[in-house]
Amino acid sequence: MFQRLTALANPTRFLGLVERLGPWLVGLTLALFAVGLYGSLVLAPPDYQQGETVRIMFIHVPAAWLAMFTYALMAVSALGTLVWRHPLADVSAKAAAPLGAAFTFLALVTGSLWGKPMWGTWWIWDARLTSVLVLFIMYLGLIALWRTIEDPTRAARLAAILILVGTVNLPIIKFSVDWWNTLHQPASVMRLDGPTIDPSMLWPLLVMALAFTSLLTTLHLYAMRNEILRRRIRSLGLAAAAGTAS
Amino acid sequence: MTGLLGPHAGFILASYAITLAVIAGLILWVRADHRAQRARLAELEARGVRRRSAAARGEAAAATATAAPEPRP
Amino acid sequence: MSDAPTERAAPLLAPLAALYRRELRLAVRIGGGGFMGVLFFLIVVTVFPFAVGPDMNLLARLGPAVLWIAALLATLLGLDRLFEADRDDGALDIIVGSGQPLELVVLVKCLAHWTATGLPLVLATPFFALFLAMEPLVIGATMLTLAVGTPALTFIGAIGAGLTVSLRRGGLLLAVLVLPFAVPVLIFGVSAAGAPALDPAPFATPFLLLCALTLATLVLAPIAAAAALRSGLD
């Protein structure tokens, strides 16, 4: 696997891969969403307590899962930039940030829409909601950092450092916010004694999680392609300017 | 439809609608960004600004064409 | 040579309108428009519950105060770039020497800065009010007072920006210098915003005083900032 990663270091070869792989991924995403949505909206039974509103879970949980997964993806990319000096690592991190921010926003909004009928208010300062909000601010901060620095290579190193600092701080934030207040429903999927939710609800949830993940992968590849083109244009522009100047 | 989704149907539909909107927004942003980059790339190519590798290929092709115009059937 | 007043006024308004558009375009392209201001606003609003605790009733009472303090900090800390960017690339000297009345130039720069940063804050208020569980009436009052009050904060901050434009670390000094002048705006703003929640408290009186303050700073601040710029430059 590592050999393939270094093979991808060449942007042109990576662009070829995106051209070939892209359409297949789009097809896979659509198929997964079709099955997932059918499962979660039609097949899954209503919850005995929450009734139909439990169907919001089928998009809230995958969105929250992707919010964390994208940051982990960016952390690996940051390592790629600083440690292995992989040329596409920063492109991957910069392309992933807006996607991560969007899915975190989705997790917050769907959580709030789910909380209103169940807990009676749009927002409460409870542990998990608050740490996801802090994660959302970290994403926006990273995007702001990338937008203010002109030179991509310098921006790459600074953003990578900020991402790694964020990765170290995430568990600390999570613990301190938990200690500060906890009200959220305890984890019901990732539990030591196995998931407590009924299989009839579990499989649509897992399919929706797969659908969201493949959606993220597709968008991430295409966003990376855009970023590579943007950097090519920038270097071409600079070269042209330098050419005419000399 | 709302009868089917129980008393809080509005919240369920709203959350699915917002999810659809955000995902559609992401897809449109990626496609629009791609078209913009392609357009600027084409404009740069039109102005004759070549990448080093493309330029090398360009001269090589031009050289072979002028040097040995093979008789084509 | 008795040209109609509009022609005489035109040479005055046209360059100022051009300056306004230039400032707006610069603020949106480089400063990312209101993005940084709104992000800073979100951070201040998020930090309060961590300090005060997650109790919603307490936060609801503090709501208007939190939003006003966040707006005050966001405005003051965002203002040190008002003249500094132009001073760095020499545009300030051209503007000062351009014969346009400096007071009006400062006024236009303040309005452009408020449109780019102050206005997004006001528009984002309802969203942040959700985090503080404020009732709709209080949210409306807070938005109204912020819409009227934030220009006053920008004008007062402009005086500080004028004073600290030539200094190296002007940002924090600016906030310290002008914070005392912003106290009345804060007092009337928060009391007017919080009035709907405490029924007997009047809304009109503090609100009208806030409007008076904004109009006063609209006139005084450009004069003071222009004087500061002139004396600071030569």
Side-chain angles (χ1 to χ4, degrees), chain A residues 41 52-53 55-56 59 102 106 109 113 116-117 122 215 222 225-226 230 232-233 236, chain B residues 5 8 11-12 15-16 18-19 23 26 29-30 33-34 37-38 40-41 44 50-51:
Chain A
L41 287 180
E52 295 295 337
T53 51
R55 297 197 192 285
I56 298 180
I59 40 175
L106 262 185
V109 168
L113 281 168
K116 180 66 178 167
W122 295 102
L215 171 71
Y222 281 122
R225 180 179 64 175
N226 293 349
R230 186 173 299 116
R232 234 173 229 179
I233 289 165
L236 278 177
Chain B
L5 282 177
H8 304 299
F11 296 107
I12 304 168
S15 45
Y16 275 82
I18 287 176
T19 309
I23 291 178
L26 284 177
W29 167 65
V30 169
D33 193 22
H34 179 61
Q37 305 308 333
R38 271 273 184 265
R40 284 172 60 196
L41 208 59
L44 279 177
R50 281 285 179 281
R51 291 189 69 244

mmCIF file of all heavy atoms in Angstrom, chain A residues 41 52-53 55-56 59 102 106 109 113 116-117 122 215 222 225-226 230 232-233 236, chain B residues 5 8 11-12 15-16 18-19 23 26 29-30 33-34 37-38 40-41 44 50-51:
data_model
loop_
_atom_site.group_PDB
_atom_site.id
_atom_site.type_symbol
_atom_site.label_atom_id
_atom_site.label_comp_id
_atom_site.label_asym_id
_atom_site.label_seq_id
_atom_site.Cartn_x
_atom_site.Cartn_y
_atom_site.Cartn_z
ATOM 1 N N LEU A 41 -36.051 5.165 5.577
ATOM 2 C CA LEU A 41 -37.342 5.874 5.567
ATOM 3 C C LEU A 41 -38.522 4.920 5.514
ATOM 4 O O LEU A 41 -39.584 5.222 6.032
ATOM 5 C CB LEU A 41 -37.401 6.825 4.357
ATOM 6 C CG LEU A 41 -36.518 8.076 4.480
ATOM 7 C CD1 LEU A 41 -36.644 8.930 3.241
ATOM 8 C CD2 LEU A 41 -36.902 8.869 5.715
ATOM 9 N N GLU A 52 -41.600 8.603 14.917
ATOM 10 C CA GLU A 52 -40.981 8.736 13.595
ATOM 11 C C GLU A 52 -39.711 9.593 13.646
ATOM 12 O O GLU A 52 -38.863 9.491 12.773
ATOM 13 C CB GLU A 52 -41.981 9.395 12.618
ATOM 14 C CG GLU A 52 -43.216 8.561 12.344
ATOM 15 C CD GLU A 52 -42.883 7.258 11.609
ATOM 16 O OE1 GLU A 52 -41.820 7.228 10.943
ATOM 17 O OE2 GLU A 52 -43.638 6.276 11.745
ATOM 18 N N THR A 53 -39.590 10.445 14.709
ATOM 19 C CA THR A 53 -38.470 11.401 14.646
ATOM 20 C C THR A 53 -37.127 10.669 14.704
ATOM 21 O O THR A 53 -36.092 11.243 14.411
ATOM 22 C CB THR A 53 -38.535 12.361 15.852
ATOM 23 O OG1 THR A 53 -38.658 11.555 17.022
ATOM 24 C CG2 THR A 53 -39.681 13.330 15.736
ATOM 25 N N ARG A 55 -36.050 8.848 12.666
ATOM 26 C CA ARG A 55 -35.508 8.779 11.303
ATOM 27 C C ARG A 55 -34.472 9.862 11.074
ATOM 28 O O ARG A 55 -33.643 9.752 10.173
ATOM 29 C CB ARG A 55 -36.656 8.913 10.285
ATOM 30 C CG ARG A 55 -37.642 7.768 10.416
ATOM 31 C CD ARG A 55 -38.544 7.595 9.227
ATOM 32 N NE ARG A 55 -39.644 6.668 9.520
ATOM 33 C CZ ARG A 55 -39.499 5.341 9.602
ATOM 34 N NH1 ARG A 55 -38.282 4.831 9.431
ATOM 35 N NH2 ARG A 55 -40.500 4.554 9.875
ATOM 36 N N ILE A 56 -34.492 10.914 11.889
ATOM 37 C CA ILE A 56 -33.448 11.937 11.740
ATOM 38 C C ILE A 56 -32.088 11.317 12.081
ATOM 39 O O ILE A 56 -31.053 11.704 11.530
ATOM 40 C CB ILE A 56 -33.745 13.138 12.675
ATOM 41 C CG1 ILE A 56 -35.076 13.772 12.291
ATOM 42 C CG2 ILE A 56 -32.636 14.166 12.621
ATOM 43 C CD1 ILE A 56 -35.468 14.960 13.140
ATOM 44 N N ILE A 59 -29.488 10.427 9.343
ATOM 45 C CA ILE A 59 -28.564 11.386 8.711
ATOM 46 C C ILE A 59 -27.728 12.100 9.777
ATOM 47 O O ILE A 59 -26.602 12.505 9.529
ATOM 48 C CB ILE A 59 -29.337 12.436 7.875
ATOM 49 C CG1 ILE A 59 -30.607 12.896 8.564
ATOM 50 C CG2 ILE A 59 -29.580 11.954 6.478
ATOM 51 C CD1 ILE A 59 -31.301 13.995 7.842
ATOM 52 N N ALA A 102 -18.742 21.358 6.376
ATOM 53 C CA ALA A 102 -20.130 21.196 5.942
ATOM 54 C C ALA A 102 -20.806 20.058 6.700
ATOM 55 O O ALA A 102 -21.927 20.199 7.199
ATOM 56 C CB ALA A 102 -20.172 20.903 4.441
ATOM 57 N N LEU A 106 -23.885 20.093 9.307
ATOM 58 C CA LEU A 106 -25.057 19.219 9.149
ATOM 59 C C LEU A 106 -25.363 18.485 10.448
ATOM 60 O O LEU A 106 -26.512 18.422 10.893
ATOM 61 C CB LEU A 106 -24.784 18.190 8.049
ATOM 62 C CG LEU A 106 -25.341 18.511 6.667
ATOM 63 C CD1 LEU A 106 -25.107 17.348 5.720
ATOM 64 C CD2 LEU A 106 -26.822 18.821 6.767
ATOM 65 N N VAL A 109 -27.002 20.938 12.824
ATOM 66 C CA VAL A 109 -28.367 21.361 12.467
ATOM 67 C C VAL A 109 -29.344 20.204 12.642
ATOM 68 O O VAL A 109 -30.391 20.347 13.258
ATOM 69 C CB VAL A 109 -28.380 21.883 11.007
ATOM 70 C CG1 VAL A 109 -29.801 22.050 10.517
ATOM 71 C CG2 VAL A 109 -27.633 23.195 10.922
ATOM 72 N N LEU A 113 -32.460 19.970 15.129
ATOM 73 C CA LEU A 113 -33.826 19.673 14.658
ATOM 74 C C LEU A 113 -34.375 18.432 15.344
ATOM 75 O O LEU A 113 -35.563 18.270 15.527
ATOM 76 C CB LEU A 113 -33.816 19.467 13.142
ATOM 77 C CG LEU A 113 -33.765 20.747 12.311
ATOM 78 C CD1 LEU A 113 -33.465 20.439 10.854
ATOM 79 C CD2 LEU A 113 -35.087 21.490 12.419
ATOM 80 N N LYS A 116 -35.232 19.525 19.153
ATOM 81 C CA LYS A 116 -36.406 20.388 19.423
ATOM 82 C C LYS A 116 -37.614 19.524 19.816
ATOM 83 O O LYS A 116 -38.164 19.716 20.887
ATOM 84 C CB LYS A 116 -36.711 21.240 18.191
ATOM 85 C CG LYS A 116 -37.904 22.176 18.353
ATOM 86 C CD LYS A 116 -37.668 23.255 19.386
ATOM 87 C CE LYS A 116 -38.854 24.203 19.499
ATOM 88 N NZ LYS A 116 -38.773 25.047 20.693
ATOM 89 N N PRO A 117 -38.049 18.527 18.987
ATOM 90 C CA PRO A 117 -39.210 17.732 19.431
ATOM 91 C C PRO A 117 -38.917 16.871 20.644
ATOM 92 O O PRO A 117 -39.770 16.640 21.489
ATOM 93 C CB PRO A 117 -39.548 16.878 18.207
ATOM 94 C CG PRO A 117 -38.341 16.905 17.348
ATOM 95 C CD PRO A 117 -37.580 18.132 17.667
ATOM 96 N N TRP A 122 -33.998 24.134 20.843
ATOM 97 C CA TRP A 122 -33.138 23.971 19.675
ATOM 98 C C TRP A 122 -31.721 23.616 20.102
ATOM 99 O O TRP A 122 -31.018 22.890 19.409
ATOM 100 C CB TRP A 122 -33.098 25.289 18.876
ATOM 101 C CG TRP A 122 -34.428 25.649 18.306
ATOM 102 C CD1 TRP A 122 -35.297 26.578 18.781
ATOM 103 C CD2 TRP A 122 -35.041 25.069 17.154
ATOM 104 N NE1 TRP A 122 -36.405 26.618 17.990
ATOM 105 C CE2 TRP A 122 -36.282 25.705 16.990
ATOM 106 C CE3 TRP A 122 -34.659 24.075 16.250
ATOM 107 C CZ2 TRP A 122 -37.147 25.388 15.963
ATOM 108 C CZ3 TRP A 122 -35.535 23.742 15.226
ATOM 109 C CH2 TRP A 122 -36.766 24.414 15.100
ATOM 110 N N LEU A 215 -19.657 9.295 -0.340
ATOM 111 C CA LEU A 215 -19.908 10.651 -0.858
ATOM 112 C C LEU A 215 -18.718 11.546 -0.534
ATOM 113 O O LEU A 215 -18.205 12.283 -1.380
ATOM 114 C CB LEU A 215 -21.173 11.214 -0.210
ATOM 115 C CG LEU A 215 -21.455 12.709 -0.480
ATOM 116 C CD1 LEU A 215 -21.865 12.920 -1.931
ATOM 117 C CD2 LEU A 215 -22.541 13.233 0.441
ATOM 118 N N TYR A 222 -12.530 14.883 -6.087
ATOM 119 C CA TYR A 222 -12.764 15.942 -7.076
ATOM 120 C C TYR A 222 -12.264 17.290 -6.560
ATOM 121 O O TYR A 222 -11.707 18.096 -7.303
ATOM 122 C CB TYR A 222 -14.265 16.009 -7.430
ATOM 123 C CG TYR A 222 -14.687 14.942 -8.403
ATOM 124 C CD1 TYR A 222 -15.679 14.025 -8.087
ATOM 125 C CD2 TYR A 222 -14.073 14.839 -9.643
ATOM 126 C CE1 TYR A 222 -16.054 13.037 -8.982
ATOM 127 C CE2 TYR A 222 -14.433 13.849 -10.549
ATOM 128 C CZ TYR A 222 -15.434 12.951 -10.208
ATOM 129 O OH TYR A 222 -15.802 11.954 -11.101
ATOM 130 N N ARG A 225 -8.674 17.471 -7.097
ATOM 131 C CA ARG A 225 -8.343 17.760 -8.502
ATOM 132 C C ARG A 225 -8.409 19.266 -8.736
ATOM 133 O O ARG A 225 -7.510 19.866 -9.334
ATOM 134 C CB ARG A 225 -9.342 17.021 -9.412
ATOM 135 C CG ARG A 225 -9.070 17.261 -10.886
ATOM 136 C CD ARG A 225 -10.033 16.518 -11.766
ATOM 137 N NE ARG A 225 -11.409 16.986 -11.590
ATOM 138 C CZ ARG A 225 -12.424 16.519 -12.348
ATOM 139 N NH1 ARG A 225 -12.204 15.612 -13.268
ATOM 140 N NH2 ARG A 225 -13.645 16.954 -12.163
ATOM 141 N N ASN A 226 -9.474 19.901 -8.211
ATOM 142 C CA ASN A 226 -9.593 21.358 -8.405
ATOM 143 C C ASN A 226 -8.387 22.079 -7.810
ATOM 144 O O ASN A 226 -7.840 23.014 -8.403
ATOM 145 C CB ASN A 226 -10.874 21.870 -7.709
ATOM 146 C CG ASN A 226 -12.110 21.318 -8.397
ATOM 147 O OD1 ASN A 226 -12.013 20.754 -9.475
ATOM 148 N ND2 ASN A 226 -13.252 21.456 -7.742
ATOM 149 N N ARG A 230 -5.772 24.534 -9.516
ATOM 150 C CA ARG A 230 -5.595 25.923 -9.047
ATOM 151 C C ARG A 230 -4.117 26.211 -8.834
ATOM 152 O O ARG A 230 -3.585 27.260 -9.208
ATOM 153 C CB ARG A 230 -6.367 26.118 -7.720
ATOM 154 C CG ARG A 230 -6.378 27.563 -7.222
ATOM 155 C CD ARG A 230 -7.264 27.741 -6.024
ATOM 156 N NE ARG A 230 -8.656 27.415 -6.304
ATOM 157 C CZ ARG A 230 -9.306 26.404 -5.724
ATOM 158 N NH1 ARG A 230 -8.681 25.623 -4.868
ATOM 159 N NH2 ARG A 230 -10.563 26.159 -6.019
ATOM 160 N N ARG A 232 -1.594 24.692 -10.298
ATOM 161 C CA ARG A 232 -0.906 24.724 -11.604
ATOM 162 C C ARG A 232 -1.082 26.100 -12.228
ATOM 163 O O ARG A 232 -0.134 26.710 -12.731
ATOM 164 C CB ARG A 232 -1.550 23.664 -12.504
ATOM 165 C CG ARG A 232 -0.524 22.703 -13.071
ATOM 166 C CD ARG A 232 -1.133 21.568 -13.812
ATOM 167 N NE ARG A 232 -0.531 20.291 -13.356
ATOM 168 C CZ ARG A 232 -0.909 19.126 -13.833
ATOM 169 N NH1 ARG A 232 -1.879 19.058 -14.714
ATOM 170 N NH2 ARG A 232 -0.345 18.019 -13.420
ATOM 171 N N ILE A 233 -2.333 26.617 -12.155
ATOM 172 C CA ILE A 233 -2.602 27.922 -12.764
ATOM 173 C C ILE A 233 -1.758 28.992 -12.091
ATOM 174 O O ILE A 233 -1.149 29.845 -12.743
ATOM 175 C CB ILE A 233 -4.103 28.236 -12.655
ATOM 176 C CG1 ILE A 233 -4.887 27.331 -13.597
ATOM 177 C CG2 ILE A 233 -4.393 29.694 -12.954
ATOM 178 C CD1 ILE A 233 -6.355 27.306 -13.327
ATOM 179 N N LEU A 236 1.775 28.648 -13.219
ATOM 180 C CA LEU A 236 1.880 29.078 -14.626
ATOM 181 C C LEU A 236 1.868 30.605 -14.689
ATOM 182 O O LEU A 236 2.708 31.228 -15.350
ATOM 183 C CB LEU A 236 0.705 28.529 -15.431
ATOM 184 C CG LEU A 236 0.843 27.081 -15.919
ATOM 185 C CD1 LEU A 236 -0.425 26.646 -16.626
ATOM 186 C CD2 LEU A 236 2.039 26.957 -16.848
ATOM 187 N N LEU B 5 -45.610 10.670 8.759
ATOM 188 C CA LEU B 5 -44.389 10.851 9.561
ATOM 189 C C LEU B 5 -44.710 11.307 10.976
ATOM 190 O O LEU B 5 -43.844 11.755 11.680
ATOM 191 C CB LEU B 5 -43.481 11.882 8.882
ATOM 192 C CG LEU B 5 -42.691 11.332 7.673
ATOM 193 C CD1 LEU B 5 -41.884 12.440 7.034
ATOM 194 C CD2 LEU B 5 -41.797 10.191 8.100
ATOM 195 N N HIS B 8 -44.291 15.130 14.532
ATOM 196 C CA HIS B 8 -43.147 16.034 14.314
ATOM 197 C C HIS B 8 -42.638 15.928 12.884
ATOM 198 O O HIS B 8 -41.441 16.015 12.629
ATOM 199 C CB HIS B 8 -42.020 15.673 15.302
ATOM 200 C CG HIS B 8 -42.472 15.715 16.734
ATOM 201 N ND1 HIS B 8 -42.938 16.867 17.316
ATOM 202 C CD2 HIS B 8 -42.585 14.738 17.661
ATOM 203 C CE1 HIS B 8 -43.296 16.607 18.574
ATOM 204 N NE2 HIS B 8 -43.113 15.321 18.802
ATOM 205 N N PHE B 11 -40.080 18.525 11.472
ATOM 206 C CA PHE B 11 -38.652 18.473 11.819
ATOM 207 C C PHE B 11 -37.922 17.436 10.972
ATOM 208 O O PHE B 11 -36.801 17.648 10.519
ATOM 209 C CB PHE B 11 -38.512 18.151 13.312
ATOM 210 C CG PHE B 11 -39.088 19.218 14.192
ATOM 211 C CD1 PHE B 11 -40.285 19.013 14.867
ATOM 212 C CD2 PHE B 11 -38.471 20.457 14.305
ATOM 213 C CE1 PHE B 11 -40.828 20.014 15.654
ATOM 214 C CE2 PHE B 11 -39.008 21.458 15.094
ATOM 215 C CZ PHE B 11 -40.196 21.237 15.762
ATOM 216 N N ILE B 12 -38.591 16.295 10.729
ATOM 217 C CA ILE B 12 -37.929 15.243 9.940
ATOM 218 C C ILE B 12 -37.697 15.750 8.527
ATOM 219 O O ILE B 12 -36.585 15.708 7.988
ATOM 220 C CB ILE B 12 -38.808 13.976 9.936
ATOM 221 C CG1 ILE B 12 -39.095 13.531 11.364
ATOM 222 C CG2 ILE B 12 -38.161 12.890 9.136
ATOM 223 C CD1 ILE B 12 -40.173 12.490 11.484
ATOM 224 N N SER B 15 -34.956 18.415 8.396
ATOM 225 C CA SER B 15 -33.565 17.946 8.492
ATOM 226 C C SER B 15 -33.142 17.254 7.200
ATOM 227 O O SER B 15 -32.032 17.467 6.708
ATOM 228 C CB SER B 15 -33.404 17.008 9.681
ATOM 229 O OG SER B 15 -34.454 16.094 9.738
ATOM 230 N N TYR B 16 -34.053 16.469 6.586
ATOM 231 C CA TYR B 16 -33.671 15.835 5.310
ATOM 232 C C TYR B 16 -33.497 16.896 4.228
ATOM 233 O O TYR B 16 -32.568 16.828 3.405
ATOM 234 C CB TYR B 16 -34.711 14.786 4.890
ATOM 235 C CG TYR B 16 -34.462 13.442 5.529
ATOM 236 C CD1 TYR B 16 -34.886 13.177 6.826
ATOM 237 C CD2 TYR B 16 -33.766 12.436 4.860
ATOM 238 C CE1 TYR B 16 -34.634 11.961 7.435
ATOM 239 C CE2 TYR B 16 -33.500 11.217 5.456
ATOM 240 C CZ TYR B 16 -33.948 10.983 6.748
ATOM 241 O OH TYR B 16 -33.676 9.781 7.361
ATOM 242 N N ILE B 18 -32.536 20.041 4.639
ATOM 243 C CA ILE B 18 -31.275 20.782 4.840
ATOM 244 C C ILE B 18 -30.099 19.901 4.428
ATOM 245 O O ILE B 18 -29.145 20.348 3.785
ATOM 246 C CB ILE B 18 -31.155 21.219 6.315
ATOM 247 C CG1 ILE B 18 -32.144 22.359 6.591
ATOM 248 C CG2 ILE B 18 -29.751 21.667 6.646
ATOM 249 C CD1 ILE B 18 -32.184 22.811 8.024
ATOM 250 N N THR B 19 -30.161 18.607 4.745
ATOM 251 C CA THR B 19 -29.066 17.705 4.340
ATOM 252 C C THR B 19 -28.936 17.701 2.827
ATOM 253 O O THR B 19 -27.834 17.853 2.279
ATOM 254 C CB THR B 19 -29.387 16.282 4.837
ATOM 255 O OG1 THR B 19 -29.702 16.367 6.214
ATOM 256 C CG2 THR B 19 -28.236 15.351 4.605
ATOM 257 N N ILE B 23 -25.617 18.999 0.758
ATOM 258 C CA ILE B 23 -24.883 18.085 -0.144
ATOM 259 C C ILE B 23 -24.940 18.619 -1.564
ATOM 260 O O ILE B 23 -23.916 18.672 -2.278
ATOM 261 C CB ILE B 23 -25.476 16.661 -0.038
ATOM 262 C CG1 ILE B 23 -25.148 16.087 1.339
ATOM 263 C CG2 ILE B 23 -24.948 15.766 -1.147
ATOM 264 C CD1 ILE B 23 -25.714 14.712 1.593
ATOM 265 N N LEU B 26 -22.480 21.386 -1.876
ATOM 266 C CA LEU B 26 -21.095 20.914 -1.999
ATOM 267 C C LEU B 26 -20.818 20.466 -3.435
ATOM 268 O O LEU B 26 -19.811 20.844 -4.046
ATOM 269 C CB LEU B 26 -20.850 19.744 -1.040
ATOM 270 C CG LEU B 26 -20.672 20.106 0.440
ATOM 271 C CD1 LEU B 26 -20.504 18.846 1.272
ATOM 272 C CD2 LEU B 26 -19.476 21.031 0.627
ATOM 273 N N TRP B 29 -20.588 23.381 -5.740
ATOM 274 C CA TRP B 29 -19.351 24.152 -5.517
ATOM 275 C C TRP B 29 -18.163 23.455 -6.187
ATOM 276 O O TRP B 29 -17.374 24.087 -6.907
ATOM 277 C CB TRP B 29 -19.107 24.273 -4.004
ATOM 278 C CG TRP B 29 -17.737 24.768 -3.674
ATOM 279 C CD1 TRP B 29 -17.220 25.991 -3.969
ATOM 280 C CD2 TRP B 29 -16.667 24.038 -3.042
ATOM 281 N NE1 TRP B 29 -15.912 26.070 -3.550
ATOM 282 C CE2 TRP B 29 -15.550 24.903 -2.976
ATOM 283 C CE3 TRP B 29 -16.563 22.740 -2.506
ATOM 284 C CZ2 TRP B 29 -14.345 24.500 -2.404
ATOM 285 C CZ3 TRP B 29 -15.353 22.346 -1.948
ATOM 286 C CH2 TRP B 29 -14.270 23.235 -1.898
ATOM 287 N N VAL B 30 -18.088 22.126 -6.044
ATOM 288 C CA VAL B 30 -16.959 21.394 -6.642
ATOM 289 C C VAL B 30 -17.020 21.509 -8.158
ATOM 290 O O VAL B 30 -16.030 21.823 -8.834
ATOM 291 C CB VAL B 30 -16.993 19.913 -6.199
ATOM 292 C CG1 VAL B 30 -16.003 19.092 -7.004
ATOM 293 C CG2 VAL B 30 -16.684 19.812 -4.719
ATOM 294 N N ASP B 33 -16.241 25.103 -9.296
ATOM 295 C CA ASP B 33 -14.810 25.384 -9.128
ATOM 296 C C ASP B 33 -14.030 24.716 -10.246
ATOM 297 O O ASP B 33 -13.120 25.301 -10.851
ATOM 298 C CB ASP B 33 -14.372 24.835 -7.765
ATOM 299 C CG ASP B 33 -12.986 25.369 -7.396
ATOM 300 O OD1 ASP B 33 -12.612 26.423 -7.943
ATOM 301 O OD2 ASP B 33 -12.296 24.714 -6.600
ATOM 302 N N HIS B 34 -14.432 23.484 -10.609
ATOM 303 C CA HIS B 34 -13.705 22.761 -11.659
ATOM 304 C C HIS B 34 -13.813 23.504 -12.980
ATOM 305 O O HIS B 34 -12.818 23.743 -13.666
ATOM 306 C CB HIS B 34 -14.273 21.348 -11.806
ATOM 307 C CG HIS B 34 -13.586 20.556 -12.885
ATOM 308 N ND1 HIS B 34 -12.246 20.261 -12.846
ATOM 309 C CD2 HIS B 34 -14.053 20.029 -14.051
ATOM 310 C CE1 HIS B 34 -11.917 19.571 -13.923
ATOM 311 N NE2 HIS B 34 -12.991 19.422 -14.678
ATOM 312 N N GLN B 37 -11.590 26.555 -12.983
ATOM 313 C CA GLN B 37 -10.147 26.261 -13.172
ATOM 314 C C GLN B 37 -9.886 25.863 -14.618
ATOM 315 O O GLN B 37 -8.925 26.331 -15.231
ATOM 316 C CB GLN B 37 -9.716 25.123 -12.248
ATOM 317 C CG GLN B 37 -10.016 25.328 -10.786
ATOM 318 C CD GLN B 37 -9.503 26.652 -10.234
ATOM 319 O OE1 GLN B 37 -8.522 27.209 -10.742
ATOM 320 N NE2 GLN B 37 -10.202 27.190 -9.264
ATOM 321 N N ARG B 38 -10.770 25.031 -15.187
ATOM 322 C CA ARG B 38 -10.567 24.599 -16.600
ATOM 323 C C ARG B 38 -10.539 25.835 -17.485
ATOM 324 O O ARG B 38 -9.652 25.980 -18.343
ATOM 325 C CB ARG B 38 -11.743 23.695 -17.019
ATOM 326 C CG ARG B 38 -11.525 22.233 -16.719
ATOM 327 C CD ARG B 38 -10.780 21.532 -17.872
ATOM 328 N NE ARG B 38 -10.660 20.094 -17.617
ATOM 329 C CZ ARG B 38 -9.562 19.534 -17.054
ATOM 330 N NH1 ARG B 38 -8.549 20.280 -16.696
ATOM 331 N NH2 ARG B 38 -9.485 18.233 -16.839
ATOM 332 N N ARG B 40 -9.775 28.950 -16.749
ATOM 333 C CA ARG B 40 -8.552 29.766 -16.621
ATOM 334 C C ARG B 40 -7.370 29.040 -17.246
ATOM 335 O O ARG B 40 -6.492 29.633 -17.859
ATOM 336 C CB ARG B 40 -8.298 30.052 -15.127
ATOM 337 C CG ARG B 40 -9.241 31.126 -14.608
ATOM 338 C CD ARG B 40 -9.144 31.283 -13.111
ATOM 339 N NE ARG B 40 -7.783 31.665 -12.697
ATOM 340 C CZ ARG B 40 -7.391 31.558 -11.418
ATOM 341 N NH1 ARG B 40 -8.215 31.055 -10.520
ATOM 342 N NH2 ARG B 40 -6.185 31.924 -11.051
ATOM 343 N N LEU B 41 -7.374 27.688 -17.115
ATOM 344 C CA LEU B 41 -6.263 26.914 -17.699
ATOM 345 C C LEU B 41 -6.280 27.080 -19.220
ATOM 346 O O LEU B 41 -5.257 27.341 -19.857
ATOM 347 C CB LEU B 41 -6.427 25.434 -17.320
ATOM 348 C CG LEU B 41 -5.119 24.622 -17.245
ATOM 349 C CD1 LEU B 41 -4.171 25.231 -16.230
ATOM 350 C CD2 LEU B 41 -5.416 23.179 -16.859
ATOM 351 N N LEU B 44 -5.011 30.405 -20.179
ATOM 352 C CA LEU B 44 -3.541 30.488 -20.100
ATOM 353 C C LEU B 44 -2.922 29.770 -21.288
ATOM 354 O O LEU B 44 -1.987 30.260 -21.932
ATOM 355 C CB LEU B 44 -3.063 29.853 -18.795
ATOM 356 C CG LEU B 44 -3.163 30.754 -17.553
ATOM 357 C CD1 LEU B 44 -2.741 30.002 -16.312
ATOM 358 C CD2 LEU B 44 -2.273 31.990 -17.745
ATOM 359 N N ARG B 50 3.013 27.624 -21.480
ATOM 360 C CA ARG B 50 3.076 26.139 -21.460
ATOM 361 C C ARG B 50 3.676 25.674 -20.143
ATOM 362 O O ARG B 50 4.475 26.395 -19.538
ATOM 363 C CB ARG B 50 4.018 25.664 -22.585
ATOM 364 C CG ARG B 50 3.368 25.670 -23.970
ATOM 365 C CD ARG B 50 2.404 24.523 -24.123
ATOM 366 N NE ARG B 50 1.772 24.549 -25.455
ATOM 367 C CZ ARG B 50 0.755 25.367 -25.750
ATOM 368 N NH1 ARG B 50 0.322 26.204 -24.831
ATOM 369 N NH2 ARG B 50 0.219 25.368 -26.940
ATOM 370 N N ARG B 51 3.313 24.449 -19.697
ATOM 371 C CA ARG B 51 4.014 23.882 -18.539
ATOM 372 C C ARG B 51 5.366 23.379 -19.037
ATOM 373 O O ARG B 51 5.493 23.016 -20.214
ATOM 374 C CB ARG B 51 3.201 22.710 -17.978
ATOM 375 C CG ARG B 51 1.909 23.157 -17.335
ATOM 376 C CD ARG B 51 1.233 22.025 -16.607
ATOM 377 N NE ARG B 51 1.980 21.620 -15.402
ATOM 378 C CZ ARG B 51 2.526 20.419 -15.287
ATOM 379 N NH1 ARG B 51 2.426 19.552 -16.254
ATOM 380 N NH2 ARG B 51 3.191 20.101 -14.194
#
